[in-house]
Amino acid sequence: MWSAVRRRTGDVQHLRRLLCSKDKLSQTRDGRENDGKLLANLAARIRLSGPVTVAQYMKEVLTCPRSGYYTAAEASVGAAGDFVTSPEISQMFGECWGVWVTNEWLKVGGPKNPLQLVELGPGRGTLLDDILRTMTRLLPDVGGVSVHLVEVGDSMRRQQRERICSDENSPSGSPQRSKSGSFPVHWYRHLNEVPRGFSFFLAHEFFDALPVHQFVRNKESGGWSEILIDLDPTHSEPKLRFIRSRDRTPATSLISSDDMREVVEISPDASMLVRSICDRIVFEGGAALVADYGGENLDKDTFRAFKNHLPWDPLISPGSADLTADVDFAALKAACPREAMCYGPIDQATFLRRLGIDRRKDMLVKQCQTEDVRNNIESSYNMLINEMGSRFQFLSIFPATMRPIHERFPPAGFQ
Ligand code: SAH
């Protein structure tokens, strides 16, 4: 049923060193240094129409065509990039997702209904590759699956194609096919381009890249100021700095009047995306599995940047570092309409354990030929469960009509 041991990004000790060194600001600059075009464009925009919101800044810096972090960068995910994600640490992570998808699909009729597997922000394609391999091992003759990747960056798309698709050239005009299962694979820039139909939506470390507005409570007046990004007038060269808005900004209306927090981050894009996903799974059927770092009703500034695996000043050399903010899972749940229902968030360690990661690790360890590979599996397990296990949260969404089925067979991992 399971596949053999697969070597991942290599040396997990190396990854651990990278992950653990987040306490000092990176001073290093690398070959992927942004050429300053983004900063010049931002400076021109600010001179013309005033300071920008954190959300406008994130959107521009991460996804603006050609010079955005995800649209221009050669490699950002993985040991050679700026940050390492769980699928890159061990095959066990994606295999658990594969078990989850198969299990939930079988509950609603499984291979009798065609399934669209839709992944938002697939990075290097590793998670999906592990999911497809696991699904085709669990259901060897499965057909009727199609793969739909929502990805903004061309270089990311290339990496995804290399990882997921078979080497055989598809006849011109026909879609690429996956190595596992030979399913057709399609790419899109936005979710709204994905054809409608019964779908499972998957998102790992995608929502944290969506723009957030940031607000702080004004101690004297009790009202809200929005955090904005402006040019520092004490520098002749363009240099960015944070300021607080003097008055209410249009986005302030997003804060609920009974919110008692001191710092609030709100992502309208994240809420809109959840609503679109719900709309689809309510009308066409399916489910969603979202995992990211964050929590519920966060009360702090979580907007930050990473470069070469180290924290980086988010206003320096925009476009050369990843920008991110913690995901507010309470806001995602609040965005779900009555016709949809959510389970979670639950922490990563609980989810993976309930999906059988301990047994899987023991099996892989038994197959190991060398001490080195065995240590690698133990370390990656430790990283997924102990070091990242409580920071990352999992949320699943289903149509509310599934309630009677879930009362007897709750969603895997969530109960
Ligand atoms: N899910 C992967 C990668 C996470 S990095 C993993 O866990 O390893 C975020 C991914 O989302 C990248 O592939 C990036 O190019 C993509 N992305 C970021 N913002 C996007 C947007 N607005 N639309 C589509 N893709 C986006």
Side-chain angles (χ1 to χ4, degrees), residues 185-220:
V185 184
H186 308 268
W187 277 265
Y188 314 86
R189 282 187 197 278
H190 301 286
L191 175 65
N192 54 19
E193 296 162 16
V194 176
R196 295 192 72 112
F198 183 91
S199 305
F200 273 38
F201 296 91
L202 310 173
H204 180 255
E205 287 215 35
F206 175 76
F207 278 82
D208 70 278
L210 298 181
V212 294
H213 288 272
Q214 234 188 14
F215 308 91
V216 284
R217 190 183 288 285
N218 195 317
K219 293 242 161 51
E220 284 100 60

Side-chain angles (χ1 to χ4, degrees), residues 59 62-63 69-71 76-78 83-88 93 97 119-128 149-157 160 188-191 202-211 269 273 291-292 322 392:
K59 188 170 187 158
L62 291 180
T63 59
Y69 177 75
Y70 284 119
T71 40
S76 50
V77 186
F83 57 98
V84 176
T85 59
S86 294
E88 303 297 330
F93 185 79
W97 284 60
E119 187 179 355
L120 306 168
R124 300 172 70 188
T126 310
L127 175 62
L128 200 65
L149 306 180
V150 179
E151 173 56 64
V152 76
D154 289 338
S155 101
M156 285 290 178
R157 286 176 177 216
Q160 290 153 17
Y188 314 86
R189 282 187 197 278
H190 301 286
L191 175 65
L202 310 173
H204 180 255
E205 287 215 35
F206 175 76
F207 278 82
D208 70 278
L210 298 181
D269 287 23
L273 186 63
D292 228 305
D322 184 32
F392 282 76

Side-chain angles (χ1 to χ4, degrees), residues 28-215:
T28 57
R29 305 233 160 177
D30 61 16
R32 285 174 294 114
E33 190 64 39
N34 185 275
D35 59 7
K37 219 165 69 197
L38 243 172
L39 178 58
N41 289 348
L42 279 159
R45 177 172 172 179
I46 293 171
R47 279 191 203 103
L48 192 72
S49 48
V52 293
T53 63
V54 173
Q56 286 167 325
Y57 181 75
M58 275 183 91
K59 188 170 187 158
E60 186 77 8
V61 170
L62 291 180
T63 59
C64 95
R66 282 181 292 281
S67 41
Y69 177 75
Y70 284 119
T71 40
E74 228 349 88
S76 50
V77 186
D82 293 310
F83 57 98
V84 176
T85 59
S86 294
E88 303 297 330
I89 291 171
S90 166
Q91 68 189 80
M92 296 182 281
F93 185 79
E95 287 168 346
C96 289
W97 284 60
V99 172
W100 190 88
V101 169
T102 310
N103 194 59
E104 298 312 309
W105 188 32
L106 287 175
K107 254 187 230 170
V108 286
K112 277 186 256 129
N113 303 321
L115 166 67
Q116 297 195 144
L117 264 185
V118 184
E119 187 179 355
L120 306 168
R124 300 172 70 188
T126 310
L127 175 62
L128 200 65
D129 189 41
D130 288 335
I131 292 174
L132 293 175
R133 197 185 61 253
T134 307
M135 285 180 73
T136 47
R137 271 169 207 272
L138 292 168
L139 306 169
D141 300 321
V142 67
V145 177
S146 55
V147 177
H148 304 264
L149 306 180
V150 179
E151 173 56 64
V152 76
D154 289 338
S155 101
M156 285 290 178
R157 286 176 177 216
R158 207 186 49 246
Q159 294 182 43
Q160 290 153 17
R161 189 160 33 245
E162 280 165 13
R163 179 63 51 94
I164 297 165
C165 296
S166 75
D167 293 334
E168 288 151 37
N169 284 337
S170 320
S172 71
S174 61
Q176 299 271 332
R177 298 245 156 208
S178 61
K179 276 187 290 210
S180 303
S182 192
F183 307 130
V185 184
H186 308 268
W187 277 265
Y188 314 86
R189 282 187 197 278
H190 301 286
L191 175 65
N192 54 19
E193 296 162 16
V194 176
R196 295 192 72 112
F198 183 91
S199 305
F200 273 38
F201 296 91
L202 310 173
H204 180 255
E205 287 215 35
F206 175 76
F207 278 82
D208 70 278
L210 298 181
V212 294
H213 288 272
Q214 234 188 14
F215 308 91

Side-chain angles (χ1 to χ4, degrees), residues 142-323:
V142 67
V145 177
S146 55
V147 177
H148 304 264
L149 306 180
V150 179
E151 173 56 64
V152 76
D154 289 338
S155 101
M156 285 290 178
R157 286 176 177 216
R158 207 186 49 246
Q159 294 182 43
Q160 290 153 17
R161 189 160 33 245
E162 280 165 13
R163 179 63 51 94
I164 297 165
C165 296
S166 75
D167 293 334
E168 288 151 37
N169 284 337
S170 320
S172 71
S174 61
Q176 299 271 332
R177 298 245 156 208
S178 61
K179 276 187 290 210
S180 303
S182 192
F183 307 130
V185 184
H186 308 268
W187 277 265
Y188 314 86
R189 282 187 197 278
H190 301 286
L191 175 65
N192 54 19
E193 296 162 16
V194 176
R196 295 192 72 112
F198 183 91
S199 305
F200 273 38
F201 296 91
L202 310 173
H204 180 255
E205 287 215 35
F206 175 76
F207 278 82
D208 70 278
L210 298 181
V212 294
H213 288 272
Q214 234 188 14
F215 308 91
V216 284
R217 190 183 288 285
N218 195 317
K219 293 242 161 51
E220 284 100 60
S221 67
W224 294 101
S225 297
E226 181 161 7
I227 302 292
L228 303 173
I229 293 163
D230 195 9
L231 286 171
D232 186 338
T234 62
H235 282 72
S236 51
E237 291 292 301
K239 184 173 185 310
L240 300 171
R241 61 167 187 169
F242 289 111
I243 58 163
R244 287 177 179 209
S245 70
R246 263 193 303 265
D247 307 309
R248 282 174 66 89
T249 55
T252 316
S253 59
L254 297 167
I255 308 175
S256 109
S257 54
D258 55 2
D259 200 317
M260 300 311 288
R261 290 175 286 173
E262 297 298 316
V263 179
V264 175
E265 290 174 346
I266 297 181
S267 174
D269 287 23
S271 298
M272 266 159 51
L273 186 63
V274 166
R275 254 174 249 133
S276 306
I277 291 173
C278 288
D279 176 58
R280 283 168 177 254
I281 62 178
V282 165
F283 285 99
E284 268 94 25
L289 184 61
V290 173
D292 228 305
Y293 41 83
E296 293 189 80
N297 299 313
L298 306 159
D299 189 3
K300 59 180 182 183
D301 170 5
T302 71
F303 173 56
R304 60 203 182 281
F306 283 100
K307 185 176 165 101
N308 297 331
H309 308 271
L310 292 169
W312 175 260
D313 183 332
L315 300 190
I316 299 225
S317 189
S320 72
D322 184 32
L323 299 181

Side-chain angles (χ1 to χ4, degrees), residues 359-371:
R359 247 174 307 130
R360 179 63 180 140
K361 192 234 339 172
D362 293 342
M363 282 167 70
L364 287 176
V365 165
K366 267 198 208 125
Q367 291 173 24
C368 284
Q369 310 281 344
T370 67
E371 190 65 27

